Amino acid sequence: SGVKVETTVDLVMVVPTVSVTPVTLKNGQDITVTGTDLDLIDHVVFGGNKQGTIKAGGTATQILVTVPDDAVTGVVTFVTKAAKEVTGPTLTMIDPVLTSFSPTSAKPNVDITLTGTDLDLVVDVVFEGNIKGTIGTRSETSMVVTIPVGAKTGKITLVTKNGSQVKSGIDITVLT
């Protein structure tokens, strides 16, 4: 009929409010999101434009989201089912710290022990010459690595799940 009818009440679009803990964490960990209208969230985007996984069992006031292994430090964004975005805080992804290694000189095919913190995040250990060592036993604080044939004297580089790199403070001497 072409007749326009206006309501007397304004339509208000609701977007979630969010609070996130923790804001410093490891890749693969969960964040706890609290707030309002969280049931409207369709997906969560982390640093590096990586999508997290919303765990089942969430409510309108609390959800758990798993940080992707390849996410990097950056702002977390919540996208609603109506494609509206709510910006959360900057999340800092923890990098491993290499405090020492022993021995500091060895031949190829010899094991060395790296010590530090958060070494469970390491996926590759690269020696000078861009050659990967073989990772053996490991924990959060230590890791055994076999020096590869062809490795050269120089820094040891730890490569993490999300691709960040951490270099040793001193050189390893690869004996011939």
Side-chain angles (χ1 to χ4, degrees), residues 9-155:
V9 179
D10 290 334
L11 177 64
V12 178
M13 295 297 292
V14 176
V15 293
T17 60
V18 296
S19 176
V20 177
T21 57
V23 293
T24 301
L25 68 162
K26 291 182 181 183
N27 295 82
Q29 279 187 292
D30 291 341
I31 57 170
T32 301
V33 183
T34 55
T36 60
D37 300 308
L38 300 179
D39 52 333
L40 299 177
I41 295 174
D42 181 62
H43 61 278
V44 181
V45 180
F46 292 86
N49 202 28
K50 305 299 179 179
Q51 189 167 317
T53 304
I54 300 173
K55 290 191 164 185
T59 67
T61 58
Q62 181 175 325
I63 59 174
L64 292 177
V65 183
T66 303
V67 178
D69 282 344
D70 53 354
V72 296
T73 294
V75 173
V76 61
T77 303
F78 301 87
V79 183
T80 67
K81 295 172 184 170
K84 302 293 181 195
E85 293 186 359
V86 177
T87 303
T90 297
L91 299 182
T92 302
M93 297 300 136
I94 294 172
D95 283 331
V97 175
L98 177 58
T99 55
S100 66
F101 55 88
S102 175
T104 56
S105 62
K107 292 181 178 182
N109 290 322
V110 171
D111 289 346
I112 61 170
T113 301
L114 311 178
T115 56
T117 57
D118 301 307
L119 297 179
D120 55 322
L121 296 171
V122 175
V123 293
D124 286 316
V125 178
V126 182
F127 290 81
E128 204 61 41
N130 202 29
I131 301 173
K132 295 178 184 177
T134 303
I135 299 173
T137 59
R138 73 157 89 201
S139 70
E140 282 190 52
T141 58
S142 71
M143 169 185 298
V144 175
V145 180
T146 304
I147 299 173
V149 173
K152 299 176 181 160
T153 295
K155 303 286 187 226

